[in-house]
Amino acid sequence: PGSYTVYVKLYKPNGALSTGSSSPNGYSYSCPVKMYRNTTWYILSGWGNNTAGHWKAGNYRWEFWLNGEKIGEKSFKIY
């Protein structure tokens, strides 16, 4: 339990890391998280765009990092 910063990497369909002007070095974004005992899931802040059609079709992959260690990943496809 405690307060931590989770770092997130979002990989585009071409394999490139998606970053913005405020992205931490080597990551797409970071998010403060308060962790509790016996909790197996957490909600992270989003990262996106208000403009429709911003996401191109293809396979995307999220990676989640804590203290320099990858703690999870998830892939999704946009048609």
Side-chain angles (χ1 to χ4, degrees), residues 11-42:
Y11 290 97
K12 301 180 216 179
N14 67 2
L17 179 64
S18 183
T19 59
S21 60
S22 63
S23 294
N25 190 29
Y27 297 93
S28 300
Y29 70 94
S30 63
C31 184
V33 174
K34 190 169 233 180
M35 295 187 176
Y36 302 94
R37 291 187 199 278
N38 302 320
T39 299
T40 58
W41 61 271
Y42 293 92

Side-chain angles (χ1 to χ4, degrees), residues 9-13 15 59-63 70 73-76:
K9 294 182 181 185
L10 170 60
Y11 290 97
K12 301 180 216 179
N59 295 310
Y60 291 81
R61 186 177 85 243
W62 295 97
E63 289 182 358
K70 186 166 74 168
E73 68 178 72
K74 184 69 177 174
S75 296
F76 63 96

Side-chain angles (χ1 to χ4, degrees), residues 40-55:
T40 58
W41 61 271
Y42 293 92
I43 297 173
L44 302 179
S45 66
W47 193 63
N49 192 305
N50 289 332
T51 306
H54 180 75
W55 296 84

